[in-house]
Amino acid sequence: MGQLRVGMIGYAFMGAAHSQAWRTVNHAFDLPLSARLSVVCGRDENKVAAAASKLGWESHATDWRQVVASDEVDLVDICTPGDTHAEIALAALAAGKHVLCEKPLANSVAEARQMAEAAAAAQAHGVRTMCGFNYRRVPAVALMRELVAAGRIGTVRHVRAVYLQDWIVDPEFPLVWRLRRDVAGSGALGDIGAHIVDLTQFVTGQQITGVSALTETFVRERPLPLEAAGLAASGNGHAGSGEVTVDDAALFLARLDGGAIATYEATRFATGRKNGLRVELNGSLGSVAFDFERMNELEFYDATLPTSEQGFSRILVTEPDHPYMAAWWPAGHLIGYEHSFTHEVRDLIAAVAAGEDPAPSFADALQVQLVLDAVEKSAASSAWVPVEAALATV
Ligand code: SOE
């Protein structure tokens, strides 16, 4: 069997999730290529050496340019903050490497466009690219898309999507990289809003054509971090404080090109909601709803049934004929968040082996970036009509 030698840049939360996927994929799926965890790269020699050992990488490096240039690497997996995505991806594509890049694709439309154009040029030479919108690879989301495409809910009229987290509600939570525009590009909008933009476009087959938005930053100053890893961090305030330069929450209305209208909410201040991604579609013949906290299930309302039989049914999406599920356990035995990453690299490996282009492409991810940009432009200028205080008019 041929090998696909992977070089991964970054080893924090997404690096750990991707490492699990690369380690597991060939044990779960029969593929023509075997993923090889060749090298993991990070700036700190001691930390990346420890990560290599813990996450199962054969070697480690501290210079991503060395990884991108290596003849021992076939695919570069970018798991770094957004401010480095473009530079690394462009170099990897120029070196003829396949690229998997975490979402959002970049920190600006200009960078995302550059990456999409470079990916299109590299495609002519058989180079494959994918952006890591992993929730597409949850079987219940795949079923949602199948039901909509089959017309089972009819004309989609409403799209309702939220992505709710609460890990920075404490004002003493330090100023980690996700809270700095120069590193992350935006806040909740790009980090988790990007997921619901991509997911809703994926399941409806429609694209967002316009938005009206507002964003808010509830806590504008935070202690500088002493230590940070993933979504955890420590800081005692003695290192000083810094300005939060991104949104804590983004809310927007949207129109989609198939006629649906939509509401989106991405926030890190939904106290009690840890990773609450929910999407509901209402159509002329029914509705369908997905809740990531119940990720093995899909709710389906069939309005074509006799009225006496209508109601939201709870479909347990674990039968082997659902995408990916035959690789795992008997029906009713559930899968988790990490499986979506294994499914993601499974599809990437299969596409590379077949000489096909995987989805979502960099062009798909550029479209998401254009939506994020429109949301920020709208939030900065939307014609907000104030509601006069009632008492003032009586
Ligand atoms: C933090 O919000 C985060 O790790 C995102 O960056 C991921 O994309 C999401 O899947 C989980 O939460």
PDB file of all heavy atoms in Angstrom, residues 247-261:
ATOM      1  N   ASP A 247     -14.426  40.319  18.277  1.00  0.00           N
ATOM      2  CA  ASP A 247     -15.789  40.187  18.774  1.00  0.00           C
ATOM      3  C   ASP A 247     -15.885  39.039  19.781  1.00  0.00           C
ATOM      4  O   ASP A 247     -15.258  37.998  19.594  1.00  0.00           O
ATOM      5  CB  ASP A 247     -16.752  39.924  17.593  1.00  0.00           C
ATOM      6  CG  ASP A 247     -16.339  38.678  16.818  1.00  0.00           C
ATOM      7  OD1 ASP A 247     -15.402  38.765  16.009  1.00  0.00           O
ATOM      8  OD2 ASP A 247     -16.912  37.617  17.077  1.00  0.00           O
ATOM      9  N   ASP A 248     -16.691  39.234  20.809  1.00  0.00           N
ATOM     10  CA  ASP A 248     -17.065  38.134  21.707  1.00  0.00           C
ATOM     11  C   ASP A 248     -18.305  37.426  21.172  1.00  0.00           C
ATOM     12  O   ASP A 248     -18.555  36.262  21.508  1.00  0.00           O
ATOM     13  CB  ASP A 248     -17.391  38.682  23.108  1.00  0.00           C
ATOM     14  CG  ASP A 248     -16.133  39.140  23.856  1.00  0.00           C
ATOM     15  OD1 ASP A 248     -15.054  38.591  23.576  1.00  0.00           O
ATOM     16  OD2 ASP A 248     -16.253  40.057  24.699  1.00  0.00           O
ATOM     17  N   ALA A 249     -19.103  38.170  20.402  1.00  0.00           N
ATOM     18  CA  ALA A 249     -20.345  37.588  19.870  1.00  0.00           C
ATOM     19  C   ALA A 249     -20.671  38.267  18.546  1.00  0.00           C
ATOM     20  O   ALA A 249     -20.381  39.448  18.352  1.00  0.00           O
ATOM     21  CB  ALA A 249     -21.496  37.799  20.849  1.00  0.00           C
ATOM     22  N   ALA A 250     -21.247  37.499  17.656  1.00  0.00           N
ATOM     23  CA  ALA A 250     -21.682  38.028  16.344  1.00  0.00           C
ATOM     24  C   ALA A 250     -23.067  37.460  16.055  1.00  0.00           C
ATOM     25  O   ALA A 250     -23.268  36.249  16.157  1.00  0.00           O
ATOM     26  CB  ALA A 250     -20.710  37.621  15.239  1.00  0.00           C
ATOM     27  N   LEU A 251     -24.010  38.365  15.759  1.00  0.00           N
ATOM     28  CA  LEU A 251     -25.370  37.960  15.402  1.00  0.00           C
ATOM     29  C   LEU A 251     -25.668  38.537  14.030  1.00  0.00           C
ATOM     30  O   LEU A 251     -25.360  39.704  13.768  1.00  0.00           O
ATOM     31  CB  LEU A 251     -26.393  38.519  16.403  1.00  0.00           C
ATOM     32  CG  LEU A 251     -26.523  37.846  17.771  1.00  0.00           C
ATOM     33  CD1 LEU A 251     -25.265  37.989  18.602  1.00  0.00           C
ATOM     34  CD2 LEU A 251     -27.704  38.438  18.537  1.00  0.00           C
ATOM     35  N   PHE A 252     -26.232  37.719  13.124  1.00  0.00           N
ATOM     36  CA  PHE A 252     -26.556  38.296  11.814  1.00  0.00           C
ATOM     37  C   PHE A 252     -27.735  37.593  11.154  1.00  0.00           C
ATOM     38  O   PHE A 252     -28.017  36.427  11.430  1.00  0.00           O
ATOM     39  CB  PHE A 252     -25.335  38.331  10.880  1.00  0.00           C
ATOM     40  CG  PHE A 252     -24.621  37.038  10.650  1.00  0.00           C
ATOM     41  CD1 PHE A 252     -24.813  36.327   9.465  1.00  0.00           C
ATOM     42  CD2 PHE A 252     -23.708  36.539  11.573  1.00  0.00           C
ATOM     43  CE1 PHE A 252     -24.105  35.156   9.214  1.00  0.00           C
ATOM     44  CE2 PHE A 252     -23.000  35.363  11.336  1.00  0.00           C
ATOM     45  CZ  PHE A 252     -23.203  34.672  10.151  1.00  0.00           C
ATOM     46  N   LEU A 253     -28.426  38.397  10.349  1.00  0.00           N
ATOM     47  CA  LEU A 253     -29.504  37.905   9.496  1.00  0.00           C
ATOM     48  C   LEU A 253     -28.897  37.685   8.114  1.00  0.00           C
ATOM     49  O   LEU A 253     -27.927  38.344   7.746  1.00  0.00           O
ATOM     50  CB  LEU A 253     -30.616  38.958   9.385  1.00  0.00           C
ATOM     51  CG  LEU A 253     -31.174  39.523  10.706  1.00  0.00           C
ATOM     52  CD1 LEU A 253     -32.166  40.641  10.402  1.00  0.00           C
ATOM     53  CD2 LEU A 253     -31.832  38.422  11.515  1.00  0.00           C
ATOM     54  N   ALA A 254     -29.491  36.774   7.361  1.00  0.00           N
ATOM     55  CA  ALA A 254     -28.944  36.535   6.019  1.00  0.00           C
ATOM     56  C   ALA A 254     -30.045  36.106   5.059  1.00  0.00           C
ATOM     57  O   ALA A 254     -31.081  35.590   5.480  1.00  0.00           O
ATOM     58  CB  ALA A 254     -27.878  35.439   6.076  1.00  0.00           C
ATOM     59  N   ARG A 255     -29.808  36.363   3.784  1.00  0.00           N
ATOM     60  CA  ARG A 255     -30.601  35.800   2.698  1.00  0.00           C
ATOM     61  C   ARG A 255     -29.726  34.796   1.958  1.00  0.00           C
ATOM     62  O   ARG A 255     -28.514  35.030   1.778  1.00  0.00           O
ATOM     63  CB  ARG A 255     -31.066  36.893   1.714  1.00  0.00           C
ATOM     64  CG  ARG A 255     -32.153  37.784   2.261  1.00  0.00           C
ATOM     65  CD  ARG A 255     -32.749  38.656   1.164  1.00  0.00           C
ATOM     66  NE  ARG A 255     -33.824  39.523   1.676  1.00  0.00           N
ATOM     67  CZ  ARG A 255     -35.071  39.106   1.890  1.00  0.00           C
ATOM     68  NH1 ARG A 255     -35.390  37.824   1.679  1.00  0.00           N
ATOM     69  NH2 ARG A 255     -35.992  39.939   2.354  1.00  0.00           N
ATOM     70  N   LEU A 256     -30.342  33.662   1.534  1.00  0.00           N
ATOM     71  CA  LEU A 256     -29.607  32.662   0.767  1.00  0.00           C
ATOM     72  C   LEU A 256     -30.145  32.634  -0.658  1.00  0.00           C
ATOM     73  O   LEU A 256     -31.308  33.017  -0.898  1.00  0.00           O
ATOM     74  CB  LEU A 256     -29.728  31.284   1.431  1.00  0.00           C
ATOM     75  CG  LEU A 256     -28.864  31.082   2.690  1.00  0.00           C
ATOM     76  CD1 LEU A 256     -29.501  31.735   3.914  1.00  0.00           C
ATOM     77  CD2 LEU A 256     -28.621  29.606   2.972  1.00  0.00           C
ATOM     78  N   ASP A 257     -29.322  32.150  -1.589  1.00  0.00           N
ATOM     79  CA  ASP A 257     -29.677  32.304  -3.012  1.00  0.00           C
ATOM     80  C   ASP A 257     -30.784  31.357  -3.471  1.00  0.00           C
ATOM     81  O   ASP A 257     -31.247  31.440  -4.591  1.00  0.00           O
ATOM     82  CB  ASP A 257     -28.435  32.159  -3.901  1.00  0.00           C
ATOM     83  CG  ASP A 257     -27.772  30.792  -3.776  1.00  0.00           C
ATOM     84  OD1 ASP A 257     -28.334  29.899  -3.099  1.00  0.00           O
ATOM     85  OD2 ASP A 257     -26.682  30.633  -4.342  1.00  0.00           O
ATOM     86  N   GLY A 258     -31.217  30.474  -2.555  1.00  0.00           N
ATOM     87  CA  GLY A 258     -32.353  29.616  -2.925  1.00  0.00           C
ATOM     88  C   GLY A 258     -33.658  30.135  -2.363  1.00  0.00           C
ATOM     89  O   GLY A 258     -34.691  29.469  -2.421  1.00  0.00           O
ATOM     90  N   GLY A 259     -33.590  31.350  -1.749  1.00  0.00           N
ATOM     91  CA  GLY A 259     -34.809  31.970  -1.241  1.00  0.00           C
ATOM     92  C   GLY A 259     -34.985  31.876   0.257  1.00  0.00           C
ATOM     93  O   GLY A 259     -35.873  32.519   0.835  1.00  0.00           O
ATOM     94  N   ALA A 260     -34.158  31.097   0.929  1.00  0.00           N
ATOM     95  CA  ALA A 260     -34.313  30.982   2.387  1.00  0.00           C
ATOM     96  C   ALA A 260     -33.837  32.255   3.073  1.00  0.00           C
ATOM     97  O   ALA A 260     -32.987  32.985   2.549  1.00  0.00           O
ATOM     98  CB  ALA A 260     -33.507  29.788   2.901  1.00  0.00           C
ATOM     99  N   ILE A 261     -34.400  32.527   4.255  1.00  0.00           N
ATOM    100  CA  ILE A 261     -33.881  33.610   5.098  1.00  0.00           C
ATOM    101  C   ILE A 261     -33.340  32.961   6.368  1.00  0.00           C
ATOM    102  O   ILE A 261     -33.796  31.868   6.764  1.00  0.00           O
ATOM    103  CB  ILE A 261     -34.967  34.661   5.426  1.00  0.00           C
ATOM    104  CG1 ILE A 261     -36.199  34.040   6.096  1.00  0.00           C
ATOM    105  CG2 ILE A 261     -35.365  35.406   4.147  1.00  0.00           C
ATOM    106  CD1 ILE A 261     -37.243  35.089   6.517  1.00  0.00           C
TER     107      ILE A 261
END
